[in-house]
Amino acid sequence: WQVVVREGIPQLERTFRFPNFREALAFTLQVGELAEAEGHHPVLITRWGSVTVIWWTHKIRGLHRNDFIMAAKTDALFSRRSGGS
Amino acid sequence: WQVVVREGIPQLERTFRFPNFREALAFTLQVGELAEAEGHHPVLITRWGSVTVIWWTHKIRGLHRNDFIMAAKTDALFSRRSGGS
């Protein structure tokens, strides 16, 4: 994960790679369902072969402990899919 | 739809609005399934309350007639969901 600052707001960002569009889309759906379950919503950029996940906390215009937890949970979803990290 | 030029590549872009994250995610999935069915893949940016869809043709680094057809099909999916446009 990288911290990227956009319009003054620090955000946690990581791009996950996939061999095609379908697997990228499936991961987007998985992260989206995690987001709904936790009530905390990222930006998800789905492309052929990759998904970029961006976490931050709107209310504080920055990073909260919860964003790091969500990043770790996102990694766990990815590891379970691919068997790697 | 707007034509946005990124790194010299003209792209068709439209942002669709939704009342929450779940409906945005569902639309992402619908457009993604359309993309798989047609063998032509956009970039999909899913946020709480919106999905931005970006079409262009990688091979020609620009817009092909097919991109406009995919944009129209995306609109049709949205209209069917919401009853509006």
Side-chain angles (χ1 to χ4, degrees), chain A residues 20-22 25 28-29 31-33 35-37 41-48 58, chain B residues 20-22 25 28-29 31-33 35-37 41-48 58:
Chain A
N20 53 41
F21 185 82
R22 178 163 292 287
L25 185 65
T28 292
L29 188 63
V31 177
E33 285 171 353
E36 277 291 289
H41 301 92
V43 170
L44 297 166
I45 306 175
T46 311
R47 301 180 194 83
W48 196 100
H58 297 64
Chain B
N20 52 43
F21 185 82
R22 178 163 292 288
L25 185 64
T28 293
L29 188 64
V31 177
E33 286 171 352
E36 277 293 287
H41 301 92
V43 170
L44 298 165
I45 306 175
T46 311
R47 300 180 195 83
W48 196 100
H58 298 64

Side-chain angles (χ1 to χ4, degrees), chain A residues 10-70:
Chain A
Q11 305 178 325
L12 273 181
E13 175 175 321
R14 183 177 168 190
T15 296
F16 299 86
R17 304 288 168 188
F18 300 93
N20 53 41
F21 185 82
R22 178 163 292 287
E23 290 188 40
L25 185 65
F27 188 67
T28 292
L29 188 63
Q30 279 196 305
V31 177
E33 285 171 353
L34 168 68
E36 277 291 289
E38 301 277 346
H40 191 49
H41 301 92
V43 170
L44 297 166
I45 306 175
T46 311
R47 301 180 194 83
W48 196 100
S50 76
V51 177
T52 299
V53 182
I54 307 170
W55 292 105
W56 80 101
T57 299
H58 297 64
K59 201 181 284 185
I60 62 169
R61 293 177 58 85
L63 293 171
H64 183 272
R65 180 167 172 276
N66 193 37
D67 295 301
F68 293 88
I69 293 170
M70 294 304 286

